[in-house]
Amino acid sequence: MSVLVPDATDLAILRLLAEDATRGAAEIGRVLGLTQPATWRRIRRLTEAGVIAGRRLVLDEAALGFGVTVFLGIRLAVKGRVSLEDFERAVTAIPEVQVVQHVLGQFDYRLRIHARDIADFERILRRRIMTLPGVGQVEANVMLSEERRPGPL
C-alpha cells in the first residue's frame, strides 16, 4: 500500500473540512476553484488512504448542561496485578469519561471527564473512578477555559 502525500489542494480541502466537516464537495470546490466531481474524488482518495479518518460533531458541553470539564491523571496502584486492558475496558464504560489516553510520565492514564458541576464530578470520582480496578494515585485538574486550534495544517 502506497502512502498518500497530500498536495497543496488536498491540504486546502483538509483545512476547510477541519473548520466544518459538514461542507459538501460542491461548496469546497467553489471555494477552491474546483468542480464538485474533482473535489469529491480528492475527498474520497484522502478517505481511502486513511488521511481522513472520520468526521465528528463538536458539541457544546455547557449548552447541554455539562458545566465542568476535569482532566484526571491516574497512576495504577500495581502494574501487572490488573491488566491495562481491564482498566481500559472499565473506564471506557463510564459515559462521563470522554477521552482515555494511555501516557508516559507521572501518570499511566489521562482522562477527560465532563460533569454537570463539581458535586456531579465528585460523585463520578467516588462512585465510578475510584472503584475501577487498579486505581492508585489520582490527580484532578479542572479546566477553566479552552482555546480550540484546528491542528497542524
Side-chain angles (χ1 to χ4, degrees):
M1 180 176 171
S2 64
V3 175
L4 173 69
V5 179
D7 64 16
T9 302
D10 291 335
L11 292 175
I13 290 170
L14 293 171
R15 277 188 213 97
L16 290 169
L17 286 172
E19 289 173 9
D20 182 358
T22 65
R23 286 183 169 145
E27 179 184 348
I28 292 170
R30 275 193 300 277
V31 171
L32 299 178
L34 300 171
T35 65
Q36 184 273 342
T39 305
W40 183 84
R41 281 192 300 273
R42 282 179 175 266
I43 292 170
R44 186 179 67 192
R45 184 173 46 87
L46 290 165
T47 301
E48 289 171 353
V51 174
I52 297 174
R55 298 179 190 200
R56 291 189 170 88
L57 184 65
V58 178
L59 302 175
D60 184 330
E61 289 89 9
L64 292 169
F66 294 93
V68 174
T69 299
V70 180
F71 295 98
L72 207 60
I74 295 180
R75 180 181 299 155
L76 298 180
V78 180
K79 296 175 187 85
R81 287 188 59 202
V82 174
S83 75
L84 299 177
E85 292 82 15
D86 290 342
F87 174 81
E88 289 170 5
R89 188 173 21 263
V91 76
T92 56
I94 300 170
E96 294 88 355
V97 176
Q98 299 297 300
V99 177
V100 177
Q101 298 170 328
H102 188 200
V103 296
L104 291 174
Q106 179 180 359
F107 296 100
D108 298 309
Y109 287 90
R110 186 170 179 259
L111 312 179
R112 182 180 180 130
I113 299 171
H114 295 295
R116 297 199 177 281
D117 51 33
I118 292 296
D120 186 37
F121 169 70
E122 183 180 10
R123 178 192 59 77
I124 296 163
L125 180 65
R126 288 176 182 249
R127 294 185 185 165
R128 296 188 176 183
I129 304 295
M130 297 307 292
T131 62
L132 292 173
V135 170
Q137 181 184 355
V138 175
E139 179 181 287
N141 293 289
V142 176
M143 182 175 69
L144 300 177
S145 65
E146 179 176 49
E147 176 73 27
R148 290 192 183 243
R149 311 256 330 159
L153 296 178

